[in-house]
Amino acid sequence: MSLPEKGRDIEELLAEISRLKQDDLPVRGGKVTAYVYDTGRPEVHEAAARAYFEMLEVNTLDPTAFPSVVEMEKQVVGAVAELLGGGSGIFTSGGTESIMLAVKAARDARPVGGRPRMAVPVTAHPAFHKAAHYLGVVVDAVPVDPVTFRASAAAVEAAMTEDTVLVVASAPSYPQGVVDPVAEIAAAASARGVLCHVDACVGGWLLPWLREAGARVPPFDLSVPGVTSLSCDLHKFGYSPKGASVVLFADPALRRKAYFASASWPGYTVINATVQSSKSAGPLGGAWATFQALGRDGYLELGRATLAAARRLREGIAGIPGLRVLGDPESALVAFGSDEVDVFVLSDEARKRGWFLQPQLSYAGIPANIHITVTGVTLRGVEAMLEVIAESAEAARGRGPAALPDGLVDLVASLDLDALDDAAFGELAAAVGVDLGGSGQPEMAVVNAVLDALPADRREAVLIRFLSVIYA
Ligand SMILES: Cc1ncc(COP(=O)(O)O)c(C=O)c1O
């Protein structure tokens, strides 16, 4: 695109946006089982969109200039604290930013002799690795139980050193949807004077409603002794538009360690609660309106529907020949694997049938699998989803595992990816059936199989190269 010589008409622009979006996955309807969260109630999303629009141009940079931001944020954060055991919070742009702030606070609250470290179960979200990378903290990876996929407190304890500033538990972890033993992990941390963050990004605004609807949910929030911070994304099970999360701190003094202020320049004084400085209040308005539009009753009703759908899905998948649910998730996230069919091929087959089921690569002894995030809208289509999974499994069985071109994995494993130009990388992608310049949704089984065969650091290098090529 180049900038048009003359301004264009809005209708024309909207038509163009529609064209640009034609190959996107649908954000509503429940056929996309990751990335998007649909209540199945268009009026709720409409309320959020209108409030978002209303706050769009308000800049949260200066709370004294826009007091609406302070009031709205206090209401939203207050509601989250009320549900999750209290504390003082910050409204952030998403799980990654909430986690970044929790790690910064821990690093700055407890200066250590060496490089600060944190003990992170292997099933915890990569946002912790990102925070560590950005903030100069070292990650000590903690194995999880190979059957339940939960972190063990003993393993977390064993990973702690004199320089550990933070330990992490997930409620639940995303890959298998299981809740780590938060009380035990927090107790082990507290016994050594170490802070403990609970990543409830996906579960914070879900698990309490599931519990109220009858699910067995262990204690996981700030009311658990030893838990010092918690992240809860509203743009997941809060059903808010993207850009909405809350990080809570048990102690206001710890929250202050997440803040940043600078008066070291001749311009306006900078005081930021978040990583971003200037930012739109749109997401805050959207989250506030979603809370107001749904209310307790709305969330509880969604929780009931989600619980029923998750139970039906687990039971239905267990009945499909060759498939098995991984672990015993308390949440609405379901992962299934197979020793008989290639799950990456299964995912492609589902895609052909109009459903997106998210493939997950094998890691740390956990086999490759398919992840499904069940949301409020899933229940009404759960039987159709099960039929598609069954049909796709049968088709995948018929097709057999994705066939990898001879020598390709070794080649990718040994390539100097930085020395490769974009055209050569494009040829490599073509060898696994991906047209990098093409539109639509390519078959991904071979790509996933190649990535799956590589160690994590090579996977990362390939993915970074891929990103730079598609944005060339
Ligand atoms: C458990 C967990 N933590 C953190 C995140 C990161 O959230 P975001 O994508 O909003 O940065 C996710 C996202 O899926 C998650 O599931």
Side-chain angles (χ1 to χ4, degrees):
M1 161 180 163
S2 50
L3 194 64
E5 218 38 63
K6 289 197 162 63
R8 294 166 64 193
D9 174 71
I10 176 66
E11 294 311 323
E12 196 185 322
L13 301 185
L14 292 175
E16 188 162 333
I17 290 174
S18 224
R19 254 195 322 281
L20 287 168
K21 284 171 59 174
Q22 71 194 1
D23 290 327
D24 285 5
L25 294 171
V27 297
R28 303 263 176 94
K31 288 188 171 181
V32 174
T33 67
Y35 312 129
V36 292
Y37 294 76
D38 183 6
T39 57
R41 298 189 191 185
E43 71 284 4
V44 171
H45 299 284
E46 160 93 9
R50 289 179 63 182
Y52 193 114
F53 188 68
E54 202 56 46
M55 296 300 287
L56 185 67
E57 292 178 49
V58 172
N59 189 350
T60 70
L61 176 66
D62 184 348
T64 64
F66 303 105
S68 61
V69 167
V70 179
E71 184 51 34
M72 254 186 193
E73 176 160 342
K74 279 165 77 174
Q75 289 188 24
V76 169
V77 170
V80 175
E82 200 173 282
L83 194 70
L84 295 175
S88 321
I90 302 173
F91 183 86
T92 77
S93 64
T96 299
E97 193 175 25
S98 288
I99 287 167
M100 191 79 74
L101 294 176
V103 174
K104 173 185 161 357
R107 184 197 66 180
D108 295 351
R110 187 169 183 254
V112 287
R115 266 183 81 184
R117 310 181 76 90
M118 59 181 168
V120 181
V122 294
T123 45
H125 193 274
F128 291 98
H129 297 267
K130 187 171 180 178
H133 183 74
Y134 282 28
L135 295 165
V137 175
V138 180
V139 169
D140 289 309
V142 180
V144 299
D145 184 288
V147 176
T148 65
F149 307 104
R150 294 190 179 92
S152 90
V156 171
E157 192 160 10
M160 278 192 264
T161 74
E162 283 193 344
D163 293 329
T164 302
V165 295
L166 186 67
V167 306
V168 172
S170 302
S173 52
Y174 181 85
Q176 281 77 43
V178 297
V179 178
D180 287 335
V182 171
E184 286 92 327
I185 291 175
S190 145
R192 295 186 54 158
V194 172
L195 302 180
C196 173
H197 181 79
V198 172
D199 180 9
C201 279
V202 74
W205 208 258
L206 169 71
L207 295 175
W209 310 112
L210 294 188
R211 185 190 281 138
E212 210 168 323
R216 199 177 25 83
V217 174
F220 70 92
D221 63 20
L222 276 172
S223 61
V224 174
V227 174
T228 51
S229 58
L230 177 147
S231 44
C232 168
D233 291 356
L234 303 182
H235 64 199
K236 294 190 171 76
F237 284 98
Y239 296 101
S240 301
K242 289 286 182 266
S245 173
V246 167
V247 56
L248 293 176
F249 295 94
D251 178 353
L254 185 58
R255 179 175 68 171
R256 286 198 294 276
K257 296 291 181 189
Y259 288 168
F260 175 82
S262 178
S264 305
W265 77 318
Y268 62 89
T269 45
V270 165
I271 166 158
N272 296 150
T274 62
V275 176
Q276 292 177 301
S277 202
S278 278
K279 67 174 193 288
S280 167
L284 177 61
W288 179 87
T290 312
F291 272 9
Q292 301 295 328
L294 274 165
R296 271 192 62 82
D297 275 9
Y299 281 112
L300 182 54
E301 218 173 285
L302 287 166
R304 285 201 186 100
T306 306
L307 185 61
R311 284 181 171 158
R312 173 69 192 115
L313 193 65
R314 287 199 293 269
E315 163 202 283
I317 290 170
I320 297 174
L323 305 188
R324 64 170 198 288
V325 174
L326 300 186
D328 184 14
E330 297 91 343
S331 68
L333 314 184
V334 178
F336 64 90
S338 175
D339 297 325
E340 297 173 20
V341 302
D342 181 329
V343 289
F344 301 140
V345 177
L346 187 159
S347 170
D348 279 350
E349 286 294 327
R351 189 76 164 258
K352 281 192 213 156
R353 291 164 174 78
W355 290 70
F356 176 81
L357 308 180
Q358 190 178 46
Q360 300 191 126
L361 305 182
S362 61
Y363 185 70
I366 301 172
N369 61 83
I370 298 288
H371 174 105
I372 294 174
T373 297
V374 173
T375 68
V377 79
T378 307
L379 187 60
R380 57 183 81 155
V382 72
E383 298 306 328
M385 187 190 290
L386 282 166
E387 266 170 44
V388 165
I389 296 172
E391 273 177 27
S392 305
E394 258 334 281
R397 191 188 292 277
R399 276 176 57 183
L404 297 183
D406 266 356
L408 186 68
V409 171
D410 290 340
L411 175 72
V412 178
S414 60
L415 268 179
D416 177 358
L417 286 163
D418 283 328
L420 215 60
D421 62 22
D422 286 0
F425 189 83
E427 279 168 32
L428 199 61
V432 290
V434 176
D435 172 8
L436 289 175
S439 61
Q441 307 294 348
E443 293 235 324
M444 294 299 289
V446 177
V447 176
N448 284 322
V450 172
L451 289 173
D452 201 62
L454 296 170
D457 58 345
R458 290 307 288 175
R459 292 176 184 172
E460 289 158 2
V462 171
L463 294 170
I464 284 177
R465 200 66 182 76
F466 167 76
L467 197 60
S468 94
V469 172
I470 61 168
Y471 279 100

